[in-house]
Amino acid sequence: MSEEEEDIDDEPTEVDDEVAKKVITKKVVKTGMKTDENVLECSLKGVKVKMSSNTPHKRVYYKKNYCLYCEKPFGKVTRHLMRKHQDEVDIAKALAHKQGSTMCSFLLSKIRNKGKYIHNCSVKSARQGQMVPKRQTTYLLSATDFLPCYFCLAMYIRTDLWRHQRRCKLRPDGPVKRKVQTYCSFLLPMDHPVSDGLKKILEDMTYDAVTRRVKSNQLILSLGERMFLKNGEVGCHRADMRNKMRELTRLVLVARDLDKDTVFLKDLITPAKFNTVLAAVKKMTGFDHLTNRFAVPSTALKLRHSPMKV
Ligand SMILES: [Zn+2]
Ligand SMILES: [Zn+2]
């Protein structure tokens, strides 16, 4: 593959960018949720995503790629791989095909993606640095807006992932996963490791701000593990477990609106925060002060039991 081809392959297409931007904006308006920027996990505030350097009049062919073997950034990583790492098994396999052929480009692209994926994982673990997506956007997005494809490991805008997976060159035959965003989110390192059993339950959640908070909240995950040990193998209890974890997370999000000191559930499990919890439960369940009634009494009742278990 020529160096120019490598860069063109990685450059963003304006059409895709515009579509993805519209989808994200539409979703935010539809659900009435805050933008990811506002509910961005505290742990990812130090993580940036590389943007395109294009200007309105000029297209800039520059993109950082990371070498899989020496983990350093290169503008022309394919050239670097072929010159410095030709003894590696995967590079040798790619170079065994005719240079410039589809198979050679395909195998080299797989190695490039893997290099960027390792770099992006280490940025997420360190909670600091710059992630490199497959397609750079011309507008600012947060790190939580990107997820890796589980076939090729390239990072895409999460709302664009389903569209990519339909045409991903590394996709084997057969159906793709449901809840693709949640499934792919487990390819990135988690703040708190979970058992395989709980992971399967979390994978069935819709990937939204609440699910992202569930994954980063140790106390809620611990409650999930406990519930899984008790009833995890029984199918009918799985939805109940997911609901309990999501309810508690929503409680933390509402409490955070009322009290900025609240970040995790553990911040609420203290007598000093009793009134904050009470106010958050009332807000969540639509408590009417005139009639002294809850709009959703069942949630209010569940939110009495769950924090006590925690
Ligand atoms: Zn290298
Ligand atoms: Zn892919």
Side-chain angles (χ1 to χ4, degrees):
M1 178 193 280
S2 73
E3 287 155 13
E4 196 180 330
E5 273 178 325
E6 178 187 320
D7 277 347
I8 289 170
D9 177 48
D10 284 342
E11 277 298 311
T13 56
E14 285 175 15
V15 176
D16 278 1
D17 282 357
E18 280 306 309
V19 170
K21 195 176 179 182
K22 274 180 196 162
V23 171
I24 286 178
T25 316
K26 208 169 149 188
K27 201 168 177 182
V28 167
V29 171
K30 197 176 156 192
T31 56
M33 282 176 61
K34 295 176 177 179
T35 59
D36 281 357
E37 193 64 28
N38 291 340
V39 290
L40 178 66
E41 284 80 348
C42 302
S43 59
L44 283 182
K45 276 188 179 167
V47 179
K48 302 273 177 278
V49 181
K50 182 155 181 354
M51 287 170 63
S52 167
S53 314
N54 287 356
T55 64
H57 307 291
K58 197 180 169 195
R59 194 169 179 184
V60 182
Y61 289 102
Y62 176 71
K63 177 140 188 197
K64 256 191 211 169
N65 280 292
Y66 282 79
C67 171
L68 172 63
Y69 306 103
C70 50
E71 296 181 18
K72 287 179 189 158
F74 292 94
K76 306 285 180 193
V77 77
T78 306
R79 183 173 65 188
H80 165 79
L81 288 169
M82 291 198 294
R83 286 184 184 172
K84 304 283 179 188
H85 301 292
Q86 50 189 284
D87 295 337
E88 297 289 343
V89 177
D90 289 339
I91 302 287
K93 272 184 192 168
L95 295 180
H97 298 275
K98 192 184 165 199
Q99 213 166 321
S101 66
T102 313
M103 187 49 82
C104 179
S105 311
F106 173 75
L107 292 172
L108 286 173
S109 152
K110 202 170 153 185
I111 298 164
R112 279 206 308 273
N113 285 351
K114 208 169 172 186
K116 274 191 281 190
Y117 168 71
I118 302 277
H119 164 77
N120 290 336
C121 286
S122 55
V123 167
K124 177 144 193 291
S125 298
R127 300 171 187 185
Q128 203 149 20
Q130 192 181 52
M131 281 186 170
V132 184
K134 177 74 176 172
R135 295 174 186 277
Q136 298 177 100
T137 56
T138 49
Y139 49 90
L140 186 68
L141 285 175
S142 73
T144 50
D145 288 325
F146 289 86
L147 287 174
C149 162
Y150 60 84
F151 299 124
C152 66
L153 299 178
M155 292 277 273
Y156 284 90
I157 295 175
R158 61 185 172 85
T159 48
D160 202 23
L161 207 51
W162 66 273
R163 192 181 292 113
H164 158 73
Q165 291 203 336
R166 285 196 307 193
R167 61 187 181 213
C168 179
K169 287 175 186 161
L170 293 183
R171 180 189 155 184
D173 293 335
V176 288
K177 293 266 177 196
R178 280 175 67 245
K179 312 277 182 191
V180 61
Q181 292 185 32
T182 316
Y183 188 80
C184 290
S185 72
F186 282 97
L187 293 172
L188 292 172
M190 282 184 75
D191 295 340
H192 310 287
V194 294
S195 67
D196 288 346
L198 183 61
K199 197 169 148 186
K200 279 203 168 59
I201 286 169
L202 296 173
E203 276 170 7
D204 280 338
M205 286 184 180
T206 302
Y207 191 71
D208 55 9
V210 178
T211 300
R212 285 198 293 281
R213 295 292 304 173
V214 170
K215 285 177 66 198
S216 63
N217 204 315
Q218 190 176 15
L219 212 48
I220 293 174
L221 290 175
S222 303
L223 178 72
E225 294 282 13
R226 185 178 176 275
M227 289 191 293
F228 180 77
L229 283 176
K230 207 173 166 192
N231 289 318
E233 299 304 327
V234 188
C236 61
H237 287 294
R238 293 186 165 205
D240 190 41
M241 289 166 60
R242 281 194 292 273
N243 288 341
K244 277 209 170 75
M245 285 188 278
R246 283 180 68 87
E247 266 162 18
L248 279 172
T249 310
R250 279 170 51 221
L251 179 72
V252 177
L253 288 172
V254 174
R256 186 196 266 188
D257 280 344
L258 303 170
D259 177 356
K260 296 292 169 205
D261 293 340
T262 306
V263 179
F264 298 110
L265 183 60
K266 68 178 166 63
D267 301 325
L268 290 176
I269 310 295
T270 161
K273 297 287 180 188
F274 180 75
N275 286 336
T276 310
V277 175
L278 210 59
V281 172
K282 282 180 176 176
K283 196 175 169 189
M284 254 179 86
T285 53
F287 182 73
D288 188 338
H289 288 275
L290 294 174
T291 57
N292 265 1
R293 284 183 182 278
F294 291 98
V296 195
S298 59
T299 308
L301 199 64
K302 282 181 209 161
L303 284 172
R304 177 176 168 246
H305 296 301
S306 299
M308 282 169 75
K309 267 187 199 164
V310 171

